Amino acid sequence: MQGILYEEPSFWAFVMISVVIGGWTAWRTGKSVATSWGEIIPNVLVYILMLGIGIRFVHHALFNGTMFSLQYYVVDTVILFIFAVLGFRYTRAKQMSTQYYWLYEKAGPFSWRKKSV
């Protein structure tokens, strides 16, 4: 997988930066957009594209990775977007079930449904 998904000599360096640090930041970004009742596609996508550049910089600064590599930027950004969407959906499901408790109930951690009468 080295060379396809990541360029660091260690898989754990990739996991630590892209998944743990980047994933947590992307989750919080998705949560922030959902808290402000923003839309997922225009808002989250713009923030995640910028966050992908930041994560590429961290790879470059700490592990002498390639800063401007389209392949690794896309891999990092896709991972970040997945975490951002999960954070957005988790927060939105919580919002819908608590703020509109008479209309909706949680149907899982990432979804809600109309309450049955």
Side-chain angles (χ1 to χ4, degrees), residues 36-75:
S36 67
W37 292 95
E39 294 295 321
I40 191 167
I41 293 300
N43 294 343
V44 171
L45 188 59
V46 169
Y47 295 143
I48 293 305
L49 290 174
M50 291 188 291
L51 184 59
I53 294 170
I55 291 298
R56 284 305 323 147
F57 176 74
V58 172
H59 283 288
H60 171 69
L62 294 180
F63 297 104
N64 202 19
T66 314
M67 177 68 187
F68 301 109
S69 168
L70 182 63
Q71 174 187 355
Y72 299 127
Y73 172 73
V74 169
V75 169

Side-chain angles (χ1 to χ4, degrees), residues 12 22 28 32 54 66 73 104 112 116:
W12 297 110
R28 298 296 295 177
S32 174
T66 314
Y73 172 73
Y104 302 109
W112 62 93
S116 54

Side-chain angles (χ1 to χ4, degrees), residues 76-95:
D76 287 340
T77 306
V78 166
I79 292 170
L80 296 174
F81 189 70
I82 290 168
F83 276 99
V85 168
L86 291 175
F88 181 90
R89 291 292 299 183
Y90 182 81
T91 305
R92 183 56 52 94
K94 185 176 175 184
Q95 284 177 320

